Amino acid sequence: MRRTLVAGNWKLNGSKQDTKDLIEGILGGISEVKNADVAVCPPFVYIPQAAELLASQGASSNISWGAQNCSQYNDGAYTGEVAAPMLKEFGCTYVILGHSERRAIYNETNDDIVQKYIAVQSAGMIPILCVGELLSERESGKTEAVVAEQLDAVLNVTGIEQFKNAVIAYEPVWAIGTGVTATPEQAQDVHAFIRQRLAEKNTAIADKIQILYGGSVKPDNAAELFAKPDIDGGLIGGASLQADSFLGICKAAG
Ligand code: PGA
């Protein structure tokens, strides 16, 4: 039985005060979330603050934290970058990789993403690998081909064993930040496709991996998405910036 994971992707939002308010708000309601794992991914500079607030709750909090990106390099002359071992040092469990905003705005390629994936796992953290199609690709019937290409780009380099310690997030680009959510059936179809593709290499690993859905998840649509057999939680953008809505989604997950 796979556990459900709800991860908040704060993107480029917040301040010290917002981080304090949001983490305290989440901590205030987290005891009602019984069976889901919860994570927050603040901007890099707020990770230490979030970590300190969460760690101060000790074992009473089942909330972990992560980053939204990292360098593929561990050190050196790479101005402006943050390395995976640095994130590990601040207690990060997860690093989101290959988000469509990074692919589209920062021209991240599949080659960059696989190098980052390896760096994150080598540092002892769990990559949350994002895949997903554009609206034009869905409308021209290319959803599975696009998702397969993004997945295979990592799988063919790392091998299936490296999916033991990984999370996948299916995020249709047309659903991110638009208020348009994939229907539970549309999402389930792609999640099942991803799991099947991994199962062709190793059924045990495919059965175990958490596949999250992302794209306009809100408290009122989360439960029916998470009820689908291959949807193991969500990667939440806009709705993760308010404690109430984020907690509402976490409660829908268990
Ligand atoms: P959204 O973003 O929930 O605001 O659509 C999801 C994401 O980009 O991870």
Side-chain angles (χ1 to χ4, degrees), residues 9 11 96 99-101 130 171 175-179 214-218 235-240:
N9 173 11
K11 307 192 182 183
I96 299 170
H99 190 282
S100 67
E101 288 152 15
C130 301
E171 299 206 304
I176 295 177
T178 58
S216 298
V217 179
K218 307 281 179 237
L235 183 56
I236 319 301
S240 73

Side-chain angles (χ1 to χ4, degrees), residues 49 60 79 97 126 138 146 194 202 204 220 225:
Q49 187 194 357
S60 65
T79 302
L97 293 180
I126 301 172
R138 172 163 285 267
V146 169
I194 293 169
N202 184 314
D220 61 1
L225 285 159

Side-chain angles (χ1 to χ4, degrees), residues 184-206:
E185 292 70 28
Q186 283 174 322
Q188 165 58 26
D189 285 351
V190 181
H191 283 230
F193 171 77
I194 293 169
R195 202 179 301 285
Q196 176 53 35
R197 198 158 185 94
L198 296 173
E200 284 164 18
K201 309 273 186 202
N202 184 314
T203 48
I205 291 173

Side-chain angles (χ1 to χ4, degrees), residues 80-162:
E81 293 291 278
V82 174
M86 298 174 183
L87 297 171
K88 177 68 178 172
E89 202 177 5
F90 284 90
C92 286
T93 301
Y94 299 101
V95 182
I96 299 170
L97 293 180
H99 190 282
S100 67
E101 288 152 15
R102 303 244 18 120
R103 292 179 192 260
I105 305 170
Y106 299 98
N107 300 320
E108 273 191 19
T109 64
N110 280 326
D111 285 347
D112 298 329
I113 294 160
V114 70
Q115 295 310 320
K116 292 179 180 204
Y117 187 100
I118 292 166
V120 166
Q121 288 192 330
S122 303
M125 298 178 292
I126 301 172
I128 301 180
L129 174 66
C130 301
V131 298
E133 81 288 0
L134 303 170
L135 184 58
S136 57
E137 292 166 337
R138 172 163 285 267
E139 287 175 346
S140 54
K142 293 194 191 124
T143 297
E144 291 190 353
V146 169
V147 167
E149 193 194 340
Q150 293 168 338
L151 192 61
D152 290 357
V154 177
L155 191 55
N156 291 342
V157 174
T158 64
I160 187 69
E161 289 295 314
Q162 300 315 118

